[in-house]
Amino acid sequence: MSTETTLVSTAAVHQIAWDDIRLVKAIAEAKGMAGAAERLGINHSTVFRRLGQLEDLLGVKLFERHRAGYAPTPPGEEITALAERIEEDLAGVSMRLAGCAVSPAGELRVTTNDTLLMHLLTPVFAAFREAYPNIRLDIVIGNQALNLSKRDADIAIRATDNPPETLVGRRLATIHWALYGRREAFPDGGRDLDLLSLFERPWVALGDNFSTMHVARYVRDKVPADRIVYKLNTVLGLAEAVEAGIGIGHLPCFIADTRPALVRLTAPAPEFAAGLWLLTHPDLRHSPRVRAFLDFCGAEIARRRIVIEGEKLLPAE
């Protein structure tokens, strides 16, 4: 074969379309024009014409006609094998793309505060990681609001009644607060209490940095200053202080009601409540990993709503 003929043949191969490759494979599998036409959804004459055009382009015969039907020649076998490899590759790509949709991957940055992380969210995050092992969580702790627009975080889990208008999300529950004391100090379980007498006891309270919270303002306005013996600039550690007997104090119900050493002294006060929000930036909400987190963690937190809202019942695991 001359060099010129080889170059022409190479150029011809580069002109083969995927439909031509499928056509050869269909004829080989059906062993005839009629069967191939049925498989491809075209008529017999179209199969005949396209096969002739392809053989003319390549300068070789792709099939021999025998009594048993059409049998591929060596070039026909090569193209049929190529078609099978292409279909296998396409199937693999399809599965990997489907897998990406079902099992999103990558890093997800979540911001929340220390109290929610320690007392509520860590088991939720562990369950999420088990369900989505290809997503890595980067947890950013802070009470200040991070800028989700600048990708300081992808998702925020916050206790607030006024989520930023620039974010989207949903309110998962209402965090209720009530007054608690050490059970040993209230052997009757807090029944028949003279509520006014409680103001004479030592109190544990939130620090001045929480002055915008209703519960912090209540203590500041109602409890004599010399009776506030222990203040914290974080909710984390508040329950431990009451449990240690330092004083009585308002606590989130989802923290205090799980501690046998504490007793609830008053009913949850609606004016102290705050919403628990799951938030993200509008541009991120359709990201597969963000969507997976919002749906999964939203459902997990909702299962714990009766604890968060002070019903004093643990959700069934």
Side-chain angles (χ1 to χ4, degrees):
M1 182 178 292
S2 68
T3 303
E4 182 178 352
T5 303
T6 303
L7 291 174
V8 171
S9 298
T10 302
V13 168
H14 289 164
Q15 296 180 51
I16 300 176
W18 168 236
D19 283 344
D20 295 326
I21 296 172
R22 289 177 62 229
L23 177 80
V24 173
K25 181 173 180 288
I27 296 172
E29 290 177 342
K31 298 183 179 180
M33 299 280 185
E38 184 177 351
R39 291 185 181 207
L40 297 174
I42 56 181
N43 59 49
H44 180 280
S45 61
T46 301
V47 174
F48 184 85
R49 185 184 72 255
R50 283 174 50 188
L51 176 61
Q53 291 171 343
L54 182 58
E55 289 179 333
D56 290 342
L57 174 67
L58 297 175
V60 295
K61 286 193 68 67
L62 299 176
F63 291 92
E64 295 287 352
R65 186 167 185 175
H66 300 290
R67 292 179 114 183
Y70 279 71
T73 62
E77 290 176 345
E78 285 288 337
I79 294 179
T80 300
L82 173 63
E84 291 172 349
R85 292 196 300 272
I86 292 174
E87 287 185 346
E88 288 176 0
D89 288 346
L90 288 173
V93 169
S94 178
M95 288 180 64
R96 287 191 292 275
L97 290 176
C100 289
V102 173
S103 301
E107 185 175 270
L108 199 61
R109 177 171 285 192
V110 181
T111 179
T112 189
N113 64 45
D114 48 11
T115 304
L116 289 175
L117 179 70
M118 293 295 294
H119 293 289
L120 178 65
L121 296 177
T122 297
V124 174
F125 292 163
F128 176 79
R129 278 282 305 130
E130 186 174 354
Y132 294 92
N134 292 326
I135 297 181
R136 305 181 306 279
L137 294 179
D138 180 5
I139 309 301
V140 182
I141 297 301
N143 290 311
Q144 73 278 12
L146 295 185
N147 191 335
L148 270 64
S149 299
K150 294 183 178 179
R151 297 301 301 275
D152 290 338
D154 301 306
I155 291 171
I157 304 176
R158 290 294 183 206
T160 178
D161 282 326
N162 298 294
E165 294 182 359
T166 55
L167 303 182
V168 295
R170 56 190 172 122
R171 183 173 179 143
L172 300 174
T174 299
I175 300 175
H176 281 294
W177 293 62
L179 184 63
Y180 291 85
R182 190 179 187 184
R183 190 173 294 277
E184 288 182 4
F186 299 90
D188 63 351
R191 293 184 295 274
D192 301 323
L193 271 178
D194 177 5
L195 295 181
L196 291 178
S197 69
L198 293 177
F199 295 120
E200 300 172 5
R201 290 177 174 268
W203 279 67
V204 170
L206 292 169
D208 295 338
N209 57 308
F210 286 99
S211 61
T212 59
M213 290 181 61
H214 292 300
V215 65
R217 290 205 303 268
Y218 175 89
V219 174
R220 183 192 63 198
D221 295 343
K222 299 291 185 180
V223 180
D226 62 346
R227 293 288 79 203
I228 304 174
V229 301
Y230 191 87
K231 291 200 292 187
L232 282 166
N233 69 346
T234 173
V235 179
L236 191 68
L238 206 59
E240 287 76 8
V242 176
E243 196 170 34
I246 295 176
I248 62 174
H250 290 101
L251 302 172
C253 295
F254 76 88
I255 298 175
D257 286 343
T258 61
R259 295 172 177 253
L262 297 179
V263 61
R264 189 189 287 184
L265 303 177
T266 64
E271 62 270 26
F272 299 160
L276 179 60
W277 286 83
L278 185 59
L279 302 163
T280 191
H281 191 273
D283 292 344
L284 298 177
R285 59 181 165 178
H286 297 304
S287 160
R289 57 180 176 269
V290 169
R291 186 76 263 160
F293 186 92
L294 293 176
D295 291 343
F296 183 93
C297 292
E300 284 293 307
I301 293 171
R303 290 179 60 236
R304 294 161 169 79
R305 179 180 296 173
I306 51 178
V307 175
I308 298 168
E309 298 190 344
E311 295 298 327
K312 301 187 76 172
L313 294 171
L314 291 175
E317 293 295 340

